[in-house]
Amino acid sequence: MASVEVAAEHERILREIESTDPNCIGPTLRSVYDGQEHGLFMEKLEGRIRNHDREIEKMCNHHFQGFVDSITELLKVRGEAQKLKGQVIQTNHNLQNDGKETLNTMDELRQCRLQQRNIATTVDKLTHCLPVLEMYSKLQEQMKTKRYYPALRTLDQLEHSCLPQAGAYLFCTIMAENIPRLRAHIRDVSMSDLKDFLESIRKHSDKIGEKAMKQALLQRSLDGANTQQQQRGGGGRQGGRKEPQATELDGQGGSPRSEQDSGILDVEDEEEEGGLGAHDLVDFSPVYRCLHIYTVLGARDTFENYYRNQRRKQARLVLQPHSNMHETLEGYRRYFNQIVGFFVVEDHVLHTTRGLVNRAYVEELWELSLSKTIAALRTHSVYLDNYSPIPVATEEDYRRVMGQFPFQDPELEKTAFPKKLPFSAFVPKVYCQIKEFIYACLKFSEDLHRSSTEIDDMIRKSTNLLLTRTLSHCLQYAIKKKNVGLAELVQIIINTTHLEQSCHFLEEFISNITNVPPGTINATKLYGTSTFKDARHTAEEEIYTNLNQKIDQFLQLADYDWMVAQGGGTASDYLSDLIAFLCSTFTVFTHLPGKVAQTACMSACKHLSTSLLQLLLESDVRQVSMGALHQFNTDVKECERFARAGPVPGFQGDTLLLAFIDLRQLLDLFTQWDWSTYLADYGRPTCKYLRVNPHTALALLEKMKDTSRKNNMFAQFRKNERDKQKLIDTVVKQLRNLIATHQS
């Protein structure tokens, strides 16, 4: 029974081995080896193998004949395949030979179609690029012919229309980068033309004004004739020429004329000037062109501000009268012609542009013109003076002047006629004009319904404005004029002194006409005293400056022979002339206040002393002999003689000589060769040569040392010369030691 079960188990295992994947039979075989009947299993396995071998053999025997037949058929097919292969190769060869021409034709066709596509693309690109190139060429031509406004329009069309359609090409990029530079160039060129225009009309404003005034006169005559004709004929034809409007420029931008940038057209034929307007005399195209260009560029406000500011500056220049305007009628005529010419141009610009200037701007300039012109006329009417004391030949003349100006001088009244008043005609003239101004202020206030105190205050404040602005400017102008000499300045000081003394009479005059007592609380005081005092101080400073300049002019004539062996016994010619000039000048100063004359005299002497010392020490003077030093000493003595004579009274003792003390001590030190005293007492308050600077002494001594060495060729053979040279060298060393000691 057990053997049957074993045999069944083995059969199961064999079936499992046959049906199971060989990779998974491990567990099955392990169950065989785990059992005790593995020998029987092996026998069973061998028998199963033999059965399978017999089945395989039977199967092979059954299919062998078919296999042999298949091999035979395959061999036959191989021969046929070889033949077919040969035919295919031959057919392919024939096909390649026959298709080579077709391939070449197809390649040519492909190339043609590629070229056609490229040509079409090129034509399309050129269609977009050619307008760009044509537009840029047009732009260059417009720039060349200075048609800048059309050029700006071309630039806009090029930038916003043509270039975006052309594509991203290098030349398009370059053009796009050049557009801002071209705009800036157009803006700068147009501004340059405008500046030339402004400069031209500034120079020719008097010519424009002259033509305009002639035209106005002629128009007035024609209007009068037309009125008479209409009265006789009952009517007439009215007409006129329109002003050219400059609101738009045509497409060409206006071709440049030969004189368009100058601003002034050449109009010489008087017979043709009867109907000329501002636009006929002046070419305004630079203004219009620049206005349109800046408008297109979006900078109109910038242009308007620039134009108005420049014209304001020119207005101030035009309104500034020439220094010699008052001398001739032609000067006044030219002054008024300039003002008229300026406003003729501005009026034309006002009516031919849209807002470049407006009515308020022109009114502002007109108000400025009125104030400046009135001030100029008042100024020039005031300072007309001959700078000479007023001569009075009779009692009647004297009383007439006294009626114009409150002047009292008991000593002068005692003198016999003819005599001279100390002040010039300027004084009564100014005094009378101030009184007339005060009367005008009073008349102006009559209809204002103000109280007497308010009227008094208003008159005083207005008079103060007249004194501190108009009259003060007038006096400063008269003092600063180039052709005013010392005598004129002296007369101005005398005049302002008397005007200052008359200020309290003006105070009383105002009080009398307003019926307001002068001592009223909060009453405004007149500033006339300070105005005249400031003018006098300015004139005094001018006297000091002019006097020093005259001294410098004489010193430029100095021609010292610095190598002369022996000095002359008389003063140099230039110095004698200078002393004579100073004596005559200070004689004129007798009418000046004592302090002014003394200050001028002391200032002149100090300046003369300083200039002489600089002349001696200047670098161009390389050598100075003892003879030249003696001649220089003689000139200084002449200056001291002038100072000691007292050219101006009021100096105590030898005060004026102190101006030359530095020169005197230096020259005494060298001419007396008193170096031992100088070196021993240096630094002491009681030193004889206290004002001698060691640096100055050393510089002069060096010049003398060089003279001794170069001019004495045989000095080494003469004991005296050798001793002198040694002495100079010793003094030089001692001076250097002295300087070094005090510096440390």
Side-chain angles (χ1 to χ4, degrees), residues 148-149 152 183 186-187 190 249 288-299:
Y148 297 117
Y149 181 69
L152 273 181
R183 283 200 178 101
I186 292 173
R187 183 191 64 224
S190 63
L249 289 179
Y288 305 146
R289 184 164 54 247
C290 199
L291 173 62
H292 289 301
I293 287 173
Y294 270 76
T295 302
V296 171
L297 294 176

Side-chain angles (χ1 to χ4, degrees), residues 201-233:
I201 61 173
R202 184 189 68 82
K203 292 180 179 178
H204 297 85
S205 59
D206 57 335
K207 178 181 177 182
I208 300 171
E210 180 182 0
K211 305 295 184 186
M213 295 179 84
K214 288 181 179 179
Q215 175 67 17
L217 181 61
L218 179 60
Q219 188 65 40
R220 180 177 297 177
S221 301
L222 293 176
D223 290 344
N226 289 336
T227 301
Q228 295 176 1
Q229 183 178 1
Q230 290 174 3
Q231 290 175 353
R232 291 193 302 268

Side-chain angles (χ1 to χ4, degrees), residues 183-202:
R183 283 200 178 101
H185 175 71
I186 292 173
R187 183 191 64 224
D188 295 342
V189 170
S190 63
M191 181 56 69
S192 177
D193 292 345
L194 177 71
K195 290 178 180 178
D196 294 341
F197 168 81
L198 293 175
E199 178 64 19
S200 182
I201 61 173
R202 184 189 68 82

Side-chain angles (χ1 to χ4, degrees), residues 369-394:
S369 173
L370 285 178
S371 61
K372 292 286 186 180
T373 305
I374 292 172
L377 294 178
R378 284 177 177 173
T379 299
H380 284 282
S381 65
V382 168
Y383 72 68
L384 292 174
D385 192 25
N386 57 6
Y387 300 104
S388 300
I390 299 177
V392 286
T394 62

Side-chain angles (χ1 to χ4, degrees), residues 52-333:
H52 283 297
D53 288 340
R54 284 194 295 271
E55 290 177 0
I56 292 171
E57 184 177 359
K58 287 180 181 179
M59 185 177 292
C60 289
N61 290 333
H62 176 74
H63 294 287
F64 178 74
Q65 186 60 41
F67 176 73
V68 172
D69 294 340
S70 298
I71 293 299
T72 303
E73 290 294 332
L74 184 61
L75 289 174
K76 291 180 181 179
V77 170
R78 184 176 65 177
E80 294 298 330
Q82 289 294 334
K83 291 180 181 179
L84 182 60
K85 180 181 178 181
Q87 292 176 358
V88 170
I89 291 174
Q90 183 62 37
T91 302
N92 180 59
H93 179 71
N94 294 336
L95 181 62
Q96 292 295 328
N97 290 335
D98 294 339
K100 186 178 296 184
E101 183 177 354
T102 302
L103 289 175
N104 291 335
T105 304
M106 290 297 295
D107 189 51
E108 291 177 359
L109 178 60
R110 183 181 60 81
Q111 287 293 116
C112 287
R113 288 184 176 177
L114 179 62
Q115 290 176 357
Q116 287 179 349
R117 187 167 62 250
N118 290 342
I119 290 172
T121 304
T122 302
V123 170
D124 181 64
K125 296 299 182 183
L126 286 176
T127 302
H128 294 91
C129 291
L130 283 177
V132 175
L133 298 175
E134 292 174 356
M135 194 69 65
Y136 197 78
S137 176
K138 179 182 178 182
L139 174 64
Q140 294 294 329
E141 183 64 25
Q142 289 169 341
M143 295 290 291
K144 184 177 179 181
T145 55
K146 297 183 178 181
R147 294 159 55 202
Y148 297 117
Y149 181 69
L152 273 181
R153 298 171 65 180
T154 303
L155 272 177
D156 287 339
Q157 188 175 357
L158 182 66
E159 181 180 23
H160 298 104
S161 178
C162 297
L163 286 177
Q165 296 178 3
Y169 294 104
L170 179 59
F171 75 91
C172 293
T173 304
I174 295 174
M175 288 182 184
E177 293 175 351
N178 281 337
I179 286 176
R181 288 193 287 269
L182 289 172
R183 283 200 178 101
H185 175 71
I186 292 173
R187 183 191 64 224
D188 295 342
V189 170
S190 63
M191 181 56 69
S192 177
D193 292 345
L194 177 71
K195 290 178 180 178
D196 294 341
F197 168 81
L198 293 175
E199 178 64 19
S200 182
I201 61 173
R202 184 189 68 82
K203 292 180 179 178
H204 297 85
S205 59
D206 57 335
K207 178 181 177 182
I208 300 171
E210 180 182 0
K211 305 295 184 186
M213 295 179 84
K214 288 181 179 179
Q215 175 67 17
L217 181 61
L218 179 60
Q219 188 65 40
R220 180 177 297 177
S221 301
L222 293 176
D223 290 344
N226 289 336
T227 301
Q228 295 176 1
Q229 183 178 1
Q230 290 174 3
Q231 290 175 353
R232 291 193 302 268
R237 184 178 60 184
Q238 296 181 352
R241 181 169 49 184
K242 270 179 113 175
E243 293 286 348
Q245 295 294 322
T247 56
E248 291 292 338
L249 289 179
D250 56 29
Q252 300 301 319
S255 59
R257 292 186 290 183
S258 60
E259 294 181 283
Q260 73 171 11
D261 293 331
S262 67
I264 303 299
L265 300 180
D266 189 12
V267 181
E268 296 294 342
D269 192 351
E270 294 291 340
E271 295 180 357
E272 297 179 359
E273 291 180 3
L276 293 178
H279 58 283
D280 297 305
L281 298 175
V282 182
D283 177 18
F284 289 91
S285 60
V287 179
Y288 305 146
R289 184 164 54 247
C290 199
L291 173 62
H292 289 301
I293 287 173
Y294 270 76
T295 302
V296 171
L297 294 176
R300 182 186 174 101
D301 292 341
T302 302
F303 174 73
E304 288 181 0
N305 292 334
Y306 175 82
Y307 178 85
R308 294 184 184 185
N309 290 335
Q310 291 300 313
R311 291 295 282 166
R312 283 192 183 96
K313 293 178 182 178
Q314 290 188 353
R316 292 187 176 92
L317 291 176
V318 167
L319 296 171
Q320 182 66 33
H322 296 284
S323 58
N324 59 346
M325 181 187 77
H326 63 285
E327 296 178 358
T328 61
L329 184 60
E330 182 61 30
Y332 284 101
R333 182 181 292 109

